[in-house]
Amino acid sequence: MMPPPAETTGSRDFVKQSSLYQEFLAEREEILKHKWIESERLGYDIGFERALLDWIRKHRDSWRAARRAQLAAGATAPVEKK
């Protein structure tokens, strides 16, 4: 079995610049905020998976709509979770 080819700096930069990766990072940030808020509220660490599922169920659709509107308007400030 051959080792995987070494990644070039250019391909890594391309991935980091991609809009899909940027959306992933933005969603991840919101999930981590949700995890922190809910863990503080409940008094224990709820874990990433529970926070992820809870955030998707309760907040993802509205967050994505607000993010799309923000990006369409050309704003650069982060979307605030309501």
Side-chain angles (χ1 to χ4, degrees):
M1 185 181 235
M2 293 178 44
E7 284 189 40
T8 63
T9 303
S11 66
R12 274 182 271 153
D13 290 342
F14 174 75
V15 169
K16 289 181 179 179
Q17 299 294 326
S18 74
S19 60
L20 183 60
Y21 185 67
Q22 295 303 313
E23 286 299 303
F24 162 75
L25 291 178
E27 263 192 36
R28 183 175 171 269
E29 179 79 19
E30 291 300 312
I31 295 161
L32 290 172
K33 286 180 193 175
H34 182 71
K35 177 183 177 289
W36 182 77
I37 291 167
E38 290 300 306
S39 294
E40 286 291 313
R41 184 177 69 81
L42 295 171
Y44 62 91
D45 186 352
I46 66 169
F48 186 82
E49 186 174 342
R50 179 174 170 186
L52 168 67
L53 296 173
D54 191 53
W55 183 81
I56 288 171
R57 191 169 49 86
K58 294 178 181 175
H59 305 290
R60 187 182 204 183
D61 290 339
S62 61
W63 180 85
R64 280 187 165 179
R67 178 131 171 116
R68 271 188 242 112
Q70 178 189 38
L71 292 174
T76 58
V79 174
E80 293 290 324
K81 186 168 99 173
K82 295 178 183 175

